Amino acid sequence: MKKLLILPAAVCMGVCLLLGSCGSTSSVKRISAEKQRDLSGNWNDRDIRLVCEKLIAECIDSGSFNQFVRKNGRQPFVKLGTILNLSDEYIDTSIIANKFRNAIINSGELKFVANDGEVTALRKEQLNQADHVKVGTEAQVGNETAADFMLQGTVKTVVDQNGKTIQKTYYVDVQLFSVESSEIVWSAENSDIVKLLDRKSLKL
C-alpha cells in the first residue's frame, strides 16, 4: 500500500502562492495625467479636459451672464441638464457635465442648483427631517432656489475610413437655455479632437 504524503499547511500555502504568481505577468505604472497616452484611440480623460477647458472659457466670457446681472441685480442660477452621448463609442457624459459644473462654479460667474437626481434625494431628506429631527432645526419645504438657465449638450463623432486607416472627429455641442422662455442664450461647439487610427497598430 502506498503512503500518502501530508504536507504542513504553511508549505501548502506557499506552493499555492508560488503557482498563482507564475501565471501573472501584469504590472502597474503610475503616470502623470499630462502624459496620458492614447491606448485604444477612443475618447479619454485628456480629451475631456481639453474640450471642457475651451468651452468653459467661452461660456464664462459670453455676454449672457453680464446682461442677466445688469437686468436682475444678482448672479444667475443654472441647473445641469443632460449631455447625451450620440457618438459611436461608450462615453460617460456625467464626467463631462460635472467638469463643466465644477469649473463654472469655481469661476464665480454663476451658481448651480441641484439637478433632478440630487433634488429627489434632497426632498426625501426634507420629509425625513420633518418627521424625525428636533423642531426648529429641520429644513423647510418650499424654499428651493429656482434655476434661471439649464445647461445641456451632446457628444457626436464623425468617422471617415480608408482601408485600415480611420479618422475620428469628436463634436461636443453645449447650449445654455433660459428656463422661462426656452431661449438659447449661449451655444458653442468644439471639434478640436481629431484622431487618426491605424487598425494594424491599435488592433481594433
Side-chain angles (χ1 to χ4, degrees):
M1 180 181 294
K2 294 183 178 180
K3 293 184 178 181
L4 296 176
L5 180 62
I6 301 176
L7 297 177
V11 175
C12 291
M13 184 176 294
V15 172
C16 291
L17 290 174
L18 179 62
L19 292 175
S21 63
C22 289
S24 176
T25 58
S26 62
S27 63
V28 177
K29 180 181 179 182
R30 292 182 181 272
I31 62 174
S32 168
E34 298 299 327
K35 295 181 180 180
Q36 180 176 337
R37 297 177 298 172
D38 279 316
L39 299 178
S40 66
N42 292 334
W43 179 270
N44 57 41
D45 183 68
R46 181 174 177 79
D47 301 327
I48 294 174
R49 287 189 288 110
L50 291 173
V51 169
C52 287
E53 286 172 4
K54 183 171 182 178
L55 289 177
I56 287 166
E58 293 181 19
C59 181
I60 294 172
D61 290 340
S62 69
S64 303
F65 304 137
N66 292 330
Q67 293 175 10
F68 183 94
V69 172
R70 287 195 299 268
K71 180 180 178 181
N72 298 277
R74 64 173 177 83
Q75 290 178 309
F77 287 89
V78 178
K79 188 171 187 177
L80 189 60
T82 56
I83 295 184
L84 299 175
N85 177 22
L86 302 179
S87 73
D88 68 326
E89 64 188 65
Y90 172 76
I91 295 176
D92 187 348
T93 55
S94 66
I95 298 175
I96 303 174
N98 287 331
K99 281 188 179 290
F100 272 110
R101 179 164 67 174
N102 293 342
I104 295 177
I105 289 175
N106 293 337
S107 74
E109 296 295 327
L110 69 163
K111 301 178 180 180
F112 270 84
V113 297
N115 62 31
D116 289 340
E118 294 163 339
V119 164
T120 299
L122 290 169
R123 289 174 180 170
K124 182 178 180 180
E125 175 60 19
Q126 290 172 0
L127 295 175
N128 181 62
Q129 289 187 13
D131 292 333
H132 301 290
V133 305
K134 183 178 179 180
V135 176
T137 65
E138 71 276 11
Q140 298 299 308
V141 177
N143 285 334
E144 295 176 18
T145 301
D148 302 297
F149 302 111
M150 178 174 285
L151 183 69
Q152 302 212 101
T154 59
V155 180
K156 302 176 183 178
T157 49
V158 173
V159 180
D160 189 18
Q161 182 172 356
N162 182 12
K164 294 185 178 181
T165 303
I166 303 173
Q167 178 177 295
K168 298 178 73 172
T169 304
Y170 294 84
Y171 291 86
V172 181
D173 295 292
V174 184
Q175 297 86 32
L176 196 65
F177 295 87
S178 167
V179 175
E180 182 175 5
S181 67
S182 298
E183 176 188 3
I184 301 176
V185 298
W186 172 77
S187 180
E189 175 191 270
N190 183 286
S191 57
D192 292 346
I193 306 298
V194 182
K195 299 187 179 186
L196 194 63
L197 314 179
D198 185 347
R199 281 183 176 269
K200 291 179 292 184
S201 61
L202 292 176
K203 297 181 181 180
L204 295 176

